Amino acid sequence: MIINQDSLHLKFDIEVKTSEKNDETTINGNKYKYIFKQSDQNFSKLNKKNLIKKIVLEDNFRNNLEKLDLNFYLIIWSKNFLFCTVDHISSFQLLYKITDKKIVIKDNLSELNFVSNQFARKTIINSGYTLGAQTLSNSYKTLMPCEYIIYNNNKIEIDFYYNINFSYSKNLASESQFEKVIEKLFIRLKKNYGENNIIVPISSVLD
């Protein structure tokens, strides 16, 4: 879903309920709460507060998010501001509900008392997944990969910071292309973890 309501002014209350502890930062004299849940917490060199400032000031934040090489979700909020997003594969689920008066953000569907989405139940039974942004709740949707919600100055926008409409080539990838991808992966691992031991799960080669 893409909503860009530049001309539509809306007033929402903001409610954030997650299992993670929030931090705080001050930008231009205004206080903001934030939760940045991420993988590699102990090894990341990301300047979180600098990223959060760019998002709050809407300073090329889409490009900054696109460049992140992390598994994460991010929520930033104050009384009159909200931003939330997830990474390129929705590693950590974020759920949202928008009513006439409130925006609610949660990260745990199991805590909800809800009327079940029967169509979503059928898709899970048949495939193991729900389709699109649907969840087992009729009230809540899930943020799709690279999707974000920003509410600022009584305006709301739901969009993507990166185009996830994948295209496919009719030509098979060459072995050298595959080797380059693997090489970049191990260079990144070396850069991030140095001499620390890591565990890399592998398949049984039956797939």
Side-chain angles (χ1 to χ4, degrees), residues 3-13 80 98-103 151-157:
I3 299 176
N4 194 329
Q5 299 175 329
D6 290 334
S7 60
L8 183 59
H9 287 247
L10 305 167
K11 180 64 176 178
F12 291 111
D13 292 327
N80 301 308
I98 301 176
T99 66
D100 292 339
K101 297 182 179 180
K102 182 181 286 189
I103 304 174
Y151 169 65
N152 192 19
N153 295 322
N154 293 342
K155 298 177 184 178
I156 187 169
E157 176 181 307

Side-chain angles (χ1 to χ4, degrees), residues 3 5 7 17 26 46 56 65 90 95 101 128 136 143 147:
I3 299 176
Q5 299 175 329
S7 60
K17 290 188 176 181
T26 300
L46 175 67
V56 169
L65 289 169
S90 297
L95 309 164
K101 297 182 179 180
L136 283 173
L143 282 178
E147 190 173 21

Side-chain angles (χ1 to χ4, degrees), residues 96-133:
Y96 68 93
K97 177 175 69 172
I98 301 176
T99 66
D100 292 339
K101 297 182 179 180
K102 182 181 286 189
I103 304 174
V104 183
I105 306 296
K106 293 180 178 286
D107 66 356
N108 191 346
L109 189 62
S110 65
E111 296 178 352
L112 304 178
N113 294 318
F114 54 81
V115 178
S116 179
N117 182 331
Q118 295 300 319
F119 182 78
R121 287 171 62 90
K122 290 179 181 179
T123 60
I124 288 178
I125 290 171
N126 289 296
S127 68
Y129 301 92
T130 58
L131 297 178

Side-chain angles (χ1 to χ4, degrees), residues 16-118:
V16 176
K17 290 188 176 181
T18 75
S19 56
E20 303 294 319
K21 183 179 178 181
N22 68 267
D23 293 303
E24 292 188 359
T25 187
T26 300
I27 301 171
N28 292 349
N30 298 312
K31 290 185 177 181
Y32 296 87
K33 296 179 180 180
Y34 70 91
I35 300 172
F36 198 112
K37 182 174 181 178
Q38 67 176 98
S39 62
D40 302 334
Q41 186 77 34
N42 296 324
F43 297 95
S44 174
K45 299 179 179 62
L46 175 67
N47 186 328
K48 297 179 186 178
K49 290 189 176 181
N50 185 54
L51 174 63
I52 289 167
K53 183 177 181 180
K54 286 181 177 292
I55 292 171
V56 169
L57 300 179
E58 298 191 44
D59 178 15
N60 196 29
F61 71 87
R62 297 170 190 82
N63 188 52
N64 282 272
L65 289 169
E66 181 184 336
K67 291 179 179 178
L68 289 183
D69 190 9
L70 295 169
N71 302 98
F72 71 93
Y73 77 49
L74 173 60
I75 313 170
I76 310 166
W77 75 101
S78 66
K79 183 178 180 180
N80 301 308
F81 178 90
L82 172 70
F83 179 87
C84 58
T85 192
V86 294
D87 63 32
H88 56 295
I89 56 172
S90 297
S91 303
F92 306 111
Q93 187 178 48
L94 270 187
L95 309 164
Y96 68 93
K97 177 175 69 172
I98 301 176
T99 66
D100 292 339
K101 297 182 179 180
K102 182 181 286 189
I103 304 174
V104 183
I105 306 296
K106 293 180 178 286
D107 66 356
N108 191 346
L109 189 62
S110 65
E111 296 178 352
L112 304 178
N113 294 318
F114 54 81
V115 178
S116 179
N117 182 331
Q118 295 300 319

